[in-house]
């Protein structure tokens, strides 16, 4: 075992995060947490994880549920394809692996939503087997340790990181090592103002030696974030509001949204009484900026509005909480219904 991995393991046992709710002997818990932690911070994930596990305590219970229920539990967490992939994977795991998370790297890669880093995390954290983790925290530690100033978002840099991470793997204690290097990035080797004096591997860190901690990792500037305009209409009738399932591909697929004017012809819209224009709002995704405008309408008798029940539904605020709705819809319902 390299002295690097030894120091990480020793440090983790004393100083690492050892009380996270998914740090159990359950591979199922590890799998769910790793998917939730993709692009999402630990403090955000914890309450969602508790709620999800309480409702779906096993692979079998998840596979026997329905996608709407799973999406509802994911509402507000973002990146909703993760929830869809979890649901699809649970059915595969139940059918092909008798409900047990596979402890084989290549079988894990065959499951929807599981890439190389997530498979490596499950192998090491759930089964204490060899596996390379390359989440954001680990990448930062490795780039600084090696003094690699290549842009982190280049494919060549990613390949170099994987090779370097593989070379540093210990021969045993994979769980402690993987958790340790993630904890080091989260607690010590932070994006800004890293606490290098507390780092167990600072003597092996090129960035510490050369004073490059605040330069590495370097990220190549991306093109300006694209903007998209969304024009929703909030149609209320007494305590009910009309939602439409989004059956188009892309963001928020399969979630419930407000309809827009293009969903109705002028004859249908004539039944509506316009009440007000709500304040516009902005919602930022990782790759896109959404500018959302909302026109609020009132309908005295909701039965006068002809809708396709397969794609539309009237719900009250309490019912909407149990459905899969994205954060902007939830915010509008909470403030204007």
């Amino acid at each position: 075992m390299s002295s690097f991995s030894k120091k990480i393991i020793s440090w983790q046992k004393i100083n690492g995060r050892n009380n996270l709710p998914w740090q159990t002997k359950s591979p199922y818990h590890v799998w769910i947490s790793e998917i939730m932690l993709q692009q999402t911070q630990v403090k955000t994930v914890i309450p969602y994880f508790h709620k999800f596990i309480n409702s779906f305590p096993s692979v079998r219970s998840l596979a026997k549920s329905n996608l709407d229920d799973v999406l509802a539990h994911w509402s507000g967490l973002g990146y909703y394809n993760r929830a869809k992939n979890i649901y699809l994977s649970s059915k595969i795991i139940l059918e092909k692996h008798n409900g047990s998370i596979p402890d084989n790297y290549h079988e894990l890669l065959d499951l929807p939503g599981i890439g190389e880093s997530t498979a490596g995390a499950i192998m090491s954290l759930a089964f204490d087997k060899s596996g390379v983790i390359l989440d954001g925290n680990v990448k930062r530690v490795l780039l600084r340790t090696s003094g690699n100033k290549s842009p982190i978002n280049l494919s060549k840099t990613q390949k170099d990181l994987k090779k370097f991470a593989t070379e540093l793997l210990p021969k045993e204690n994979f769980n402690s090592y993987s958790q340790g290097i993630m904890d080091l990035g989260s607690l010590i080797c932070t994006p800004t103002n890293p606490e290098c004096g507390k780092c167990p591997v600072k003597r092996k860190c090129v960035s510490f030696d050369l004073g490059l901690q605040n330069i590495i990792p370097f990220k190549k500037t991306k093109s300006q974030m694209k903007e998209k305009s969304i024009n929703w209409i909030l149609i209320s009738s007494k305590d009910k509001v009309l939602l439409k399932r989004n059956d188009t591909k892309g963001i928020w697929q399969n979630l419930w949204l407000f309809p827009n004017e293009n969903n109705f012809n002028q004859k249908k819209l004539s039944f509506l009484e316009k009440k007000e224009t709500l304040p516009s709002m902005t919602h930022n995704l990782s790759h896109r900026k959404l500018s959302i405008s909302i026109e609020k309408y009132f309908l005295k008798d909701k039965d006068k509005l002809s809708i396709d029940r397969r794609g539309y539904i009237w719900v009250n605020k309490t019912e909407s909480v149990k459905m899969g709705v994205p954060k902007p819809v939830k915010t509008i319902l909470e403030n204007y219904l």
Side-chain angles (χ1 to χ4, degrees):
M1 190 185 300
S2 69
S3 59
F4 180 90
S5 57
K6 281 183 180 179
K7 289 181 181 297
I8 293 289
I9 292 168
S10 298
W11 175 85
Q12 198 283 326
K13 291 179 179 178
I14 299 172
N15 302 289
R17 297 173 295 185
N18 295 299
N19 59 351
L20 297 172
W22 44 83
Q23 290 175 325
T24 66
K25 293 182 179 181
S26 167
Y28 174 64
H29 288 182
V30 173
W31 169 48
I32 297 299
S33 69
E34 284 301 315
I35 301 298
M36 287 186 168
L37 287 165
Q38 293 172 358
Q39 308 287 334
T40 311
Q41 294 183 338
V42 168
K43 63 181 181 181
T44 302
V45 166
I46 288 176
Y48 280 93
F49 176 82
H50 283 304
K51 181 182 177 183
F52 196 93
I53 294 300
N54 284 338
S55 297
F56 312 110
S58 66
V59 171
R60 182 175 294 276
S61 63
L62 180 56
K64 297 296 183 181
S65 66
N66 61 74
L67 181 57
D68 280 340
D69 202 11
V70 175
L71 289 171
H73 282 73
W74 209 272
S75 183
L77 195 56
Y79 301 97
Y80 292 93
N81 267 338
R82 295 183 297 175
K84 182 180 178 181
N85 286 332
I86 279 180
Y87 179 67
L88 295 175
S89 291
S90 69
K91 291 184 172 296
I92 295 172
I93 294 169
L94 184 61
E95 182 179 342
K96 293 184 64 175
H97 304 285
N98 198 30
S100 297
I101 310 295
D103 61 354
N104 179 281
Y105 178 77
H106 296 289
E107 290 180 344
L108 288 169
L109 285 178
D110 286 337
L111 297 173
I114 295 185
E116 292 183 348
S117 180
T118 302
I122 295 171
M123 289 295 293
S124 59
L125 299 175
F127 301 109
D128 201 21
K129 293 185 177 183
S130 178
V132 170
I133 295 179
L134 282 176
D135 72 353
N137 288 321
V138 175
K139 288 178 182 179
R140 188 167 56 254
V141 171
L142 296 178
L143 285 170
R144 284 176 174 165
T145 299
S146 61
N148 189 338
K149 291 189 283 186
S150 300
I152 190 174
N153 48 342
L154 292 185
S155 58
K156 183 183 182 304
T157 309
Q158 299 297 319
K159 291 179 181 178
D160 292 342
L161 278 172
K162 184 178 180 182
K163 181 181 178 182
F164 186 46
T166 303
E167 292 170 353
L168 293 175
L169 282 178
K171 301 297 182 184
E172 57 186 3
N173 295 321
F174 301 106
N175 181 299
S176 296
Y177 173 74
S178 293
Q179 188 63 55
I181 197 168
M182 287 192 295
D183 291 349
L184 185 65
S186 175
L187 304 175
I188 302 296
C189 195
T190 49
T192 57
N193 302 316
E195 298 186 72
C196 298
K198 298 180 181 180
C199 178
V201 291
K202 61 180 180 290
R203 295 187 183 279
K204 300 183 177 297
C205 180
V206 174
S207 293
F208 175 70
D209 187 43
L210 300 179
L212 300 174
Q213 304 96 314
N214 292 316
I215 297 175
I216 298 175
F218 173 73
K219 192 171 187 179
K220 187 176 181 180
T221 304
K222 292 184 178 181
S223 57
Q224 189 174 6
M225 185 181 292
K226 293 181 179 180
E227 293 190 22
K228 180 180 179 180
S229 296
I230 295 177
N231 303 302
W232 281 333
I233 53 176
L234 193 165
I235 305 174
S236 64
S237 181
K238 298 179 181 178
D239 66 335
K240 300 279 187 176
V241 65
L242 185 66
L243 296 179
K244 180 183 184 298
R245 184 189 288 278
N246 180 27
D247 55 5
T248 60
K249 291 184 178 180
I251 60 170
W252 301 333
Q253 185 180 11
N254 295 314
L255 300 185
W256 292 93
L257 313 176
F258 296 112
N260 59 61
E261 290 186 355
N262 294 329
N263 298 132
F264 302 105
N265 58 38
Q266 289 301 314
K267 184 177 180 180
K268 288 185 177 181
L269 289 175
S270 65
F271 288 109
L272 308 178
E273 175 190 340
K274 185 173 179 179
K275 293 193 69 176
E276 59 182 314
T277 299
L278 301 181
S280 59
M281 61 188 298
T282 299
H283 183 70
N284 291 322
L285 303 172
S286 61
H287 61 296
R288 188 175 296 174
K289 179 180 180 180
L290 304 179
S291 298
I292 303 172
S293 63
I294 314 103
E295 299 288 343
K296 188 173 182 180
Y297 291 86
F298 176 74
L299 182 62
K300 188 173 182 180
D301 183 1
K302 62 182 178 61
D303 293 329
K304 283 189 175 182
L305 185 64
S306 177
I307 57 174
D308 185 344
R309 297 289 179 177
R310 294 170 296 180
Y312 291 84
I313 189 171
W314 288 98
V315 295
N316 58 35
K317 187 185 293 188
T318 303
E319 292 166 336
S320 68
V321 172
K322 302 175 183 178
M323 300 172 64
V325 297
K327 188 174 182 179
V329 172
K330 181 180 286 189
T331 300
I332 293 167
L333 288 171
E334 289 174 349
N335 290 290
Y336 301 109
L337 185 61

